[in-house]
Amino acid sequence: MSRKIIILIFAILSLNCFAQNNSKEDSITLKKLYNTSLLNGKSYEWLDYLSNQIGGRLSGSLNAQKAVEWGEKELKELGIDKVWLQPVMVPKWTRGVTEYAYIETEPGVTTNVPVCALGGSVPTSIGGIKAQVIEVKGLDELKKIGVDKIKGKIVFYNRPMQADVIETFMAYGGCVDQRYSGAAEAAKFGAIGVIVRSMNLRLDDYPHTGAMSYGDLKDTDKIPAAAISTKGANLLSSMLKLDPNVKFHINMNCRTWKDVQSYNVIGEITGSEFPKEYMVVGGHLDSWDLGDGSHDDGAGIVQSMEVLRLFKEIGYKPKRSIRVVFFMNEENGLRGGKKYAQVAKEKGENHVFALESDSGGFTPRGFSLDCNADNFEQVQSWKPLFEPYLIHFFAKGGSGADIGPLKKEGMVLAGLRPDSQRYFDYHHAKNDTFDAVNKRELELGAATMASFMYLFDKYGVK
């Protein structure tokens, strides 16, 4: 046997041995992370305080400021290297007194229905508005109907989330345009208001709010916009089929104020080998005001914070600098994510990886990734490490709204993907509360995120 062949065989055996040792070491580290999160986790305790002691954290509100102060305090208590607040101007919108609505079949004969103002909506006139209703399934149908049939009426967008779409975020994306742009489009045809079927796959009495936009409409042309619960939507649709002349009354007192200053909350563990390479993990600290924002996105906040705590607990010292970022104003402006990316660019910071949790605190299934083929192949090679924890979903696709502005060539953006089947039961609604989050599922998600961060920190970005 020639010397060259012997050297080649020895090299192959050495590489196999190295890979096996690395795999064993990685398995042990992942086990430590999962054990620590499940046996000695803090994510659920943190979420309890954020949800029940602070509550809903609408951008620009007093509760949002309380959450900033809480986040800064908790990060400092972790004993990490740096903690700071990053100023950012955010929109301020208030709901006012509880909205009120009813369907009127004839004078004095009414049926109350649950509604809520969409975020950013103008109020109704004092005492509310009442008019006949025109039902449409979407923006395209609105355009076909035209001004003559719409002017002076309330447009009712009643396109449901598509129940046979297994990926619920795709079902959401298939109809959310009527919520976001519905008022702007209906106003062009002379409508005096809009009501939108809640983005929810379940039939219930909870209206689901969410951001909407008037586009380039003048203030004088803006019309009030509200969500109606799925049961309320079905009732109204049935009544309209029986009598197209029924009327709808709604009263809202919401208001938009001048922008106010808020903050992103940032904590950092400085890298031991590559301190100028930054890896980010985070979620958004703001929430809508109807519930306490436990799933959206209190879960992402406490899971991200837990990543840093888990590393400290097991004694892992990251090679790269790892930052946790609590982004402000994801729900109605994305100001926090844009500000963080802007400052990072101005400082010339080299961000190589970012992970976001903003899909609820349900059982983790895996990750979606925005990355090149080499990095995706590397992630696929880690699949056996996650299979003992029933993490099996690794797909190319979206990552997260707040980390999106960081995107650049060669960077890896990732989003934690929990089981999403129940997410939209709670999304932007009054029932998004602490009791809807399962402690074990939340902790599994935190450990899964920490494991993913560990692997990317150890092996780097391709």
Side-chain angles (χ1 to χ4, degrees):
M1 186 180 295
S2 71
R3 179 181 174 84
K4 288 184 178 180
I5 294 175
I6 292 172
I7 291 173
L8 179 61
I9 292 172
F10 180 77
I12 293 171
L13 291 173
S14 297
L15 283 172
N16 286 337
C17 183
F18 177 77
Q20 288 173 6
N21 287 338
N22 261 354
S23 180
K24 184 176 181 181
E25 180 184 283
D26 294 338
S27 294
I28 292 170
T29 300
L30 263 64
K31 184 65 173 174
K32 287 179 181 177
L33 291 168
Y34 277 94
N35 285 354
T36 306
S37 183
L38 293 169
L39 298 173
N40 186 32
K42 285 205 69 174
S43 56
Y44 195 67
E45 176 187 328
W46 282 327
L47 185 62
D48 186 4
Y49 189 93
L50 182 61
S51 299
N52 293 320
Q53 299 303 314
I54 297 178
R57 305 167 296 281
L58 192 57
S59 180
S61 68
L62 177 60
N63 274 6
Q65 179 58 29
K66 288 180 179 178
V68 166
E69 294 167 2
W70 167 84
E72 181 184 26
K73 172 179 171 290
E74 292 294 341
L75 287 177
K76 285 181 176 178
E77 289 183 0
L78 285 182
I80 57 180
D81 298 317
K82 301 176 187 175
V83 177
W84 70 98
L85 301 182
Q86 184 178 75
V88 55
M89 297 299 292
V90 299
K92 181 178 176 67
W93 175 86
T94 54
R95 184 172 301 280
V97 298
T98 303
E99 302 89 342
Y100 176 69
Y102 60 76
I103 303 167
E104 182 182 86
T105 50
E106 57 182 89
V109 181
T110 63
T111 302
N112 292 352
V113 287
V115 297
C116 68
L118 294 179
S121 175
V122 296
T124 61
S125 55
I126 296 175
I129 58 173
K130 182 166 67 174
Q132 289 184 341
V133 179
I134 184 78
E135 180 180 355
V136 297
K137 295 298 183 184
L139 302 181
D140 291 339
E141 186 177 342
L142 182 81
K143 296 170 184 176
K144 293 176 182 177
I145 291 174
V147 174
D148 291 343
K149 293 183 179 179
I150 295 174
K151 189 174 182 179
K153 295 182 180 179
I154 294 172
V155 170
F156 169 37
Y157 290 100
N158 191 31
R159 183 165 83 254
M161 288 178 65
Q162 195 171 335
D164 61 346
V165 176
I166 302 303
E167 175 47 70
T168 59
F169 281 88
M170 290 182 65
Y172 175 76
C175 60
V176 75
D177 62 337
Q178 60 190 341
R179 188 195 76 199
Y180 189 75
S181 304
E185 293 303 315
K188 295 174 184 177
F189 293 90
I192 65 167
V194 301
I195 47 177
V196 182
R197 183 187 183 93
S198 287
M199 306 292 111
N200 180 12
L201 283 160
R202 186 171 69 177
L203 284 176
D204 60 27
D205 290 316
Y206 293 108
H208 293 231
T209 190
M212 52 86 65
S213 171
Y214 289 108
D216 57 2
L217 284 184
K218 297 177 183 177
D219 287 348
T220 53
D221 294 333
K222 294 176 181 178
I223 59 177
I228 184 172
S229 71
T230 49
K231 278 189 176 180
N234 284 358
L235 176 64
L236 177 57
S237 183
S238 297
M239 287 179 144
L240 286 169
K241 286 180 175 65
L242 293 172
D243 181 5
N245 297 313
V246 299
K247 293 182 178 181
F248 194 86
H249 168 89
I250 184 168
N251 188 25
M252 307 193 310
N253 297 274
C254 41
R255 182 175 174 182
T256 299
W257 308 78
K258 290 183 179 179
D259 288 0
V260 299
Q261 183 170 290
S262 189
Y263 303 89
N264 291 328
V265 185
I266 307 171
E268 178 181 309
I269 297 177
T270 305
S272 59
E273 295 183 29
F274 311 106
K276 298 301 183 182
E277 291 186 9
Y278 295 98
M279 300 176 66
V280 168
V281 59
H284 63 87
L285 191 54
D286 63 305
S287 76
W288 286 107
D289 56 318
L290 297 176
D292 60 44
S294 287
H295 275 299
D296 187 20
D297 184 29
I301 290 295
V302 299
Q303 287 173 329
S304 299
M305 187 158 48
E306 182 76 333
V307 170
L308 272 63
R309 193 192 74 87
L310 291 175
F311 285 169
K312 288 182 67 68
E313 284 290 311
I314 71 167
Y316 178 69
K317 296 181 180 180
K319 295 179 179 181
R320 294 160 180 82
S321 292
I322 295 183
R323 285 181 182 170
V324 60
V325 184
F326 302 162
F327 296 98
M328 182 56 69
N329 184 233
E330 185 272 348
E331 291 293 6
N332 59 336
L334 206 66
R335 301 276 185 89
K338 292 176 181 177
K339 182 69 174 183
Y340 182 83
Q342 175 194 331
V343 172
K345 185 177 181 180
E346 290 171 353
K347 291 184 175 181
E349 293 176 341
N350 181 23
H351 283 71
V352 297
F353 175 85
L355 169 62
E356 184 169 338
S357 172
D358 186 19
S359 300
F362 300 100
T363 303
R365 297 298 185 204
F367 300 91
S368 61
L369 296 113
D370 185 352
C371 64
N372 61 32
D374 289 340
N375 280 299
F376 187 66
E377 185 178 345
Q378 177 174 235
V379 169
Q380 292 283 70
S381 73
W382 298 335
K383 209 170 181 182
L385 293 169
F386 285 99
E387 285 175 347
Y389 308 99
L390 304 181
I391 306 299
H392 59 273
F393 177 81
F394 299 90
K396 294 193 75 171
S399 54
D402 280 308
I403 62 175
L406 281 170
K407 184 175 179 178
K408 65 178 183 179
E409 187 70 27
M411 187 178 178
V412 175
L413 301 178
L416 178 70
R417 290 293 171 256
D419 189 307
S420 69
Q421 299 308 313
R422 290 178 289 129
Y423 180 63
F424 290 97
D425 294 353
Y426 306 99
H427 185 247
H428 297 176
K430 187 178 180 180
N431 60 340
D432 183 6
T433 51
F434 179 70
D435 60 291
V437 177
N438 178 276
K439 179 176 182 289
R440 183 173 179 83
E441 292 177 349
L442 184 75
E443 292 168 345
L444 284 168
T448 301
M449 292 167 67
S451 299
F452 207 53
M453 293 287 290
Y454 155 76
L455 289 167
F456 261 108
D457 178 60
K458 180 177 179 179
Y459 295 104
V461 171
K462 301 291 186 182

